[in-house]
Amino acid sequence: MKIHMDLKEHSYDILVQRGILAHAGEHLHLDRRVLVVTDSGVPAAYAQTIAGQCKEAVILTVEQGEGSKSLETFGKLLETMLAHGFSRKDCVVAVGGGVVGDLSGFAASAYMRGIDFYNIPTTLLSQIDSSIGGKTAINFGGVKNIVGAFYQPKMVLIDPDLLSTLPPRQISNGLAEAVKMALTSDRVLFELFENEEIGANLDEIIIRSLQIKKSVVEQDEKEAGLRKILNFGHTIGHGIESSGNMAELYHGECVALGLIPMCAGAIRPRVIRVLEKCGLYNLIAFDWDKITQAAFHDKKADGDAVTVTLVPEIGSFELRKMKCIEVIDMAKACFEG
Amino acid sequence: MKIHMDLKEHSYDILVQRGILAHAGEHLHLDRRVLVVTDSGVPAAYAQTIAGQCKEAVILTVEQGEGSKSLETFGKLLETMLAHGFSRKDCVVAVGGGVVGDLSGFAASAYMRGIDFYNIPTTLLSQIDSSIGGKTAINFGGVKNIVGAFYQPKMVLIDPDLLSTLPPRQISNGLAEAVKMALTSDRVLFELFENEEIGANLDEIIIRSLQIKKSVVEQDEKEAGLRKILNFGHTIGHGIESSGNMAELYHGECVALGLIPMCAGAIRPRVIRVLEKCGLYNLIAFDWDKITQAAFHDKKADGDAVTVTLVPEIGSFELRKMKCIEVIDMAKACFEG
């Protein structure tokens, strides 16, 4: 399955195919110096499989976790390329989840003002979400993704076989973004979640999610408008995630909670049933003060009002400018009403 | 005088006007948070004049010199913006020479994946050369400009009045790039150098040089081909500059020496007379072994051969692929023959 991202001179293909990792060299131009970036949580065999197909590979394994999205690790990637004499014609391959992809993409964008970047996402979340869109970044001064570049990969390879080593909770974490996209844009995908066995339909879920995201990003590469719908559920979700006392929840689990209040009351029971089926309906003791504070430190907050995405019916959306406090009240009413 | 850079969605204007610093707010959108970056060698009044026209200005003064083009200082700029709550809608203004412009532009490109950047170059070299082209960068691991981004400013303001505080040698340093561009592309500008008083014609020299660079950059934004002619004289010049024992020479002085051997023998006497008039003909004891080694560590070297720009007649050029050793032999013959 090939999905073509049409972004003029930044166009590229996403190939979705089981087993493609072992054949990456047939699709990527690896006959040069290649920095293979991975993290300590990814099976080492994945990066080695890529390295074995390169003319001259250097594998750099960063620590698993957000801590690696730092200016220091960014410097380490650049240092490694410099030490191995990388030229403008060499490239970077990310083999890992969102952290590895974001970090490697930013380093590729900056080394010699931009060398080729390939992304091979290994988690469901990154296969569905962060491998598309060209947003690369590191964290800085305690703020997520505050420093980075819009930089498109030359190609993305998605191998659903790599998901077999993921714990179930990591699969759920990725499914949250797929449910999010189904709710705003794809009734058929939502019904698949309702009616079919999820584990047996991962390829279909990945492909349909990518197609939604493709369509949104193509229309709004630099995040000027429509792309806001990709943040559906993220205002409250981000507030929960950053409120400090929810360290035990994953990003997808927070987003899942965040999208419920944004759906019309009539469809909420269906939404909750799907989230339960995905392992994503984990109610918590909401601390609304902390959530409010964390949600609206968000860089997308615009003065006292924010634009949120609402879902009136499955597969449709509405962008609405609301006061921050109204958004919180809506969430409170949903969970406590 | 307005020069429009036509780079599709990255288009911008360069305004050349004496006294424009004091009226910057009429041209730049300063009604927001503004990081004004300058260095310790630039009169402090320049940055203050800009700050006085902003809604909310933060002045950051970095150390004069290449040392400030570092990952550390880059981090300091980002930190300052973060500490002052800069959003995507705020901006960075560079008030200084190439170092300040390169550093600030890269920080603006990366903060929140890109905020507005304005450049107000204060040296003749940066007014002529580095304020156009969108090349931003820092040095890293001892290599110049190895990390950065292609990132266009939203507007460039050039105030030739600011040059009045520059020492004459700094003026010469900038003239080298103008002579370089005249040689490959503008016979009329070269004849101005031959026949007119230079100090009285700086505005004309700046404008004609910008027009040449504009035309080259518009045709080749990402440095794929034609832009190589902007490196005319830089292969040998860079070799002289980086050979280690020429620390006393400025960049422009090295480039001036580097372009002589690349001109046809018949025009060399005219070229040398113009360089003398500009204060740029400073013969040195050439150490060819060191120059060779330094020149061809250049990232533009392509295996054993390099593409150099030759000038057969004033105002014309020829790109030729030559062996590194042939380039050096040509330079040796020129200076020692």
Side-chain angles (χ1 to χ4, degrees):
Chain A
M1 176 74 193
K2 174 158 92 179
I3 296 173
H4 178 70
M5 293 294 296
D6 185 8
L7 299 166
K8 292 171 213 150
E9 72 268 37
H10 302 130
S11 297
Y12 64 95
D13 289 329
I14 301 170
L15 305 182
V16 184
Q17 190 185 305
R18 288 190 177 262
I20 201 170
L21 187 77
H23 304 282
E26 295 164 23
H27 306 285
L28 313 180
H29 168 31
L30 300 179
D31 186 25
R32 47 181 163 172
R33 287 190 191 88
V34 181
L35 179 69
V36 183
V37 185
T38 190
D39 76 37
S40 54
V42 177
Y46 294 175
Q48 284 155 7
T49 300
I50 295 301
Q53 299 170 74
C54 301
K55 184 178 176 194
E56 195 182 326
V58 182
I59 297 180
L60 183 68
T61 306
V62 304
E63 279 293 302
Q64 183 173 28
E66 282 286 325
S68 285
K69 282 177 62 172
S70 66
L71 196 61
E72 291 66 39
T73 319
F74 171 72
K76 202 167 160 187
L77 266 65
L78 299 171
E79 220 170 84
T80 305
M81 288 190 267
L82 203 54
H84 288 84
F86 274 52
S87 81
R88 275 191 178 191
K89 295 175 181 169
D90 298 319
C91 71
V92 176
V93 182
V95 181
V99 167
V100 169
D102 285 1
L103 170 71
S104 314
F106 185 38
S109 84
Y111 190 75
M112 292 190 167
R113 301 194 187 90
I115 63 174
D116 284 355
F117 171 56
Y118 299 119
N119 199 356
I120 306 180
T122 60
T123 63
L124 184 58
L125 181 60
S126 59
Q127 290 191 348
I128 281 182
D129 195 48
S130 70
S131 66
I132 274 199
K135 288 169 80 165
T136 74
I138 55 174
N139 307 326
F140 188 82
V143 183
K144 271 186 78 161
N145 299 329
I146 193 82
V147 173
F150 285 99
Y151 195 70
Q152 304 296 340
K154 286 286 164 193
M155 192 172 281
V156 176
L157 301 187
I158 293 182
D159 185 344
D161 277 351
L162 307 186
L163 305 177
S164 63
T165 56
L166 283 187
R169 200 174 158 201
Q170 275 290 2
I171 298 285
S172 296
N173 190 37
L175 290 175
E177 300 289 341
V179 173
K180 174 199 80 177
M181 289 193 266
L183 279 168
T184 58
S185 315
D186 188 349
R187 195 178 45 77
V188 175
L189 176 57
F190 190 83
E191 289 168 2
L192 182 152
F193 275 113
E194 286 184 306
N195 305 320
E196 308 292 336
E197 201 219 310
I198 290 172
N201 285 278
L202 282 182
D203 298 36
E204 176 80 3
I205 290 169
I206 293 169
I207 289 166
R208 291 194 83 103
S209 300
L210 289 173
Q211 277 160 339
I212 297 165
K213 188 154 182 190
K214 160 191 162 71
S215 149
V216 172
V217 170
E218 281 176 359
Q219 289 172 67
D220 183 16
E221 186 185 351
K222 296 285 171 70
E223 204 164 26
L226 179 65
R227 202 153 158 173
K228 285 189 205 294
I229 73 164
L230 299 176
N231 287 326
F232 173 51
H234 281 64
T235 305
I236 295 296
H238 177 83
I240 295 173
E241 193 175 4
S242 304
S243 63
N245 54 353
M246 308 301 161
E248 70 279 13
L249 288 191
Y250 283 10
H251 174 74
E253 292 166 341
C254 297
V255 169
L257 292 175
L259 51 80
I260 300 168
M262 304 293 131
C263 294
I267 58 168
R268 274 187 206 151
R270 287 176 68 192
V271 174
I272 291 171
R273 270 198 302 278
V274 160
L275 293 176
E276 278 174 333
K277 189 172 172 185
C278 293
L280 284 167
Y281 190 59
N282 310 295
L283 282 185
I284 52 167
F286 295 98
D287 180 334
W288 291 109
D289 287 343
K290 283 194 180 161
I291 291 171
T292 305
Q293 219 210 342
F296 300 112
H297 265 118
D298 189 327
K299 69 180 187 292
K300 280 152 205 120
D302 201 352
D304 210 16
V306 283
T307 304
V308 293
T309 305
L310 302 175
V311 167
E313 286 176 58
I314 304 290
S316 72
F317 67 90
E318 190 195 319
L319 294 179
R320 193 185 296 170
K321 204 154 194 163
M322 294 177 74
K323 292 214 164 143
C324 297
I325 191 68
E326 291 171 341
V327 180
I328 291 292
D329 286 347
M330 201 162 73
K332 271 190 200 174
C334 167
F335 289 114
E336 295 172 0
Chain B
M1 176 74 195
K2 174 157 95 179
I3 296 172
H4 179 69
M5 294 293 298
D6 184 10
L7 299 166
K8 292 173 214 149
E9 73 267 37
H10 303 129
S11 297
Y12 63 96
D13 289 330
I14 302 171
L15 305 183
V16 185
Q17 192 186 307
R18 288 191 176 261
I20 201 170
L21 188 76
H23 306 280
E26 295 165 23
H27 307 285
L28 313 180
H29 169 29
L30 300 179
D31 187 26
R32 46 181 163 171
R33 287 192 192 88
V34 181
L35 178 69
V36 183
V37 184
T38 190
D39 77 38
S40 54
V42 177
Y46 295 174
Q48 284 156 7
T49 300
I50 294 302
Q53 300 170 73
C54 301
K55 184 178 177 193
E56 196 182 325
V58 183
I59 296 180
L60 183 69
T61 306
V62 304
E63 279 291 303
Q64 183 175 26
E66 282 286 323
S68 284
K69 283 177 64 173
S70 66
L71 196 62
E72 291 67 37
T73 319
F74 171 74
K76 201 166 161 191
L77 266 67
L78 299 169
E79 221 171 85
T80 305
M81 289 190 268
L82 203 54
H84 288 83
F86 274 50
S87 82
R88 272 190 182 196
K89 292 173 183 171
D90 297 320
C91 71
V92 176
V93 182
V95 181
V99 167
V100 169
D102 285 1
L103 170 71
S104 313
F106 184 40
S109 84
Y111 190 74
M112 292 189 167
R113 301 194 188 89
I115 64 174
D116 284 355
F117 171 56
Y118 299 119
N119 199 355
I120 306 181
T122 61
T123 63
L124 183 59
L125 181 61
S126 60
Q127 291 192 347
I128 281 183
D129 194 50
S130 69
S131 65
I132 274 198
K135 289 168 79 166
T136 74
I138 55 173
N139 307 325
F140 189 82
V143 183
K144 272 187 78 162
N145 299 329
I146 193 84
V147 173
F150 285 97
Y151 195 70
Q152 304 297 339
K154 285 285 166 198
M155 192 172 280
V156 177
L157 301 187
I158 293 183
D159 186 343
D161 277 351
L162 307 186
L163 305 178
S164 63
T165 55
L166 281 187
R169 198 174 160 201
Q170 277 288 1
I171 298 285
S172 296
N173 190 36
L175 290 175
E177 300 289 341
V179 172
K180 174 198 81 177
M181 289 193 266
L183 280 169
T184 58
S185 314
D186 188 348
R187 195 177 46 77
V188 174
L189 177 57
F190 190 82
E191 288 168 0
L192 183 153
F193 275 114
E194 286 184 309
N195 305 320
E196 307 292 336
E197 202 216 312
I198 291 171
N201 285 278
L202 282 183
D203 298 36
E204 176 79 5
I205 290 169
I206 293 169
I207 290 167
R208 292 195 82 104
S209 300
L210 290 172
Q211 278 162 336
I212 297 164
K213 188 154 181 190
K214 160 192 162 70
S215 147
V216 173
V217 169
E218 280 177 1
Q219 291 172 65
D220 183 17
E221 187 185 349
K222 297 285 172 66
E223 206 167 23
L226 180 64
R227 204 154 157 172
K228 284 190 206 295
I229 74 162
L230 299 176
N231 288 325
F232 172 51
H234 281 63
T235 305
I236 294 298
H238 177 82
I240 294 172
E241 193 175 3
S242 304
S243 62
N245 53 353
M246 309 300 159
E248 71 278 14
L249 289 191
Y250 283 9
H251 175 73
E253 293 167 339
C254 297
V255 169
L257 291 176
L259 50 81
I260 300 170
M262 304 293 132
C263 294
I267 58 169
R268 273 185 209 152
R270 288 176 67 189
V271 174
I272 290 172
R273 269 195 304 275
V274 161
L275 293 177
E276 277 175 337
K277 189 172 172 186
C278 293
L280 285 167
Y281 189 60
N282 309 296
L283 282 186
I284 52 166
F286 296 98
D287 180 334
W288 292 109
D289 286 344
K290 283 192 179 162
I291 292 172
T292 305
Q293 219 209 345
F296 301 112
H297 264 118
D298 188 327
K299 68 180 188 293
K300 281 149 204 121
D302 201 350
D304 210 15
V306 282
T307 303
V308 293
T309 305
L310 302 176
V311 168
E313 285 176 59
I314 304 290
S316 72
F317 67 89
E318 189 195 318
L319 295 178
R320 192 185 296 169
K321 205 154 193 163
M322 294 176 73
K323 292 215 165 143
C324 297
I325 190 67
E326 291 170 340
V327 180
I328 290 294
D329 285 347
M330 203 161 72
K332 270 192 202 174
C334 168
F335 290 113
E336 296 174 359

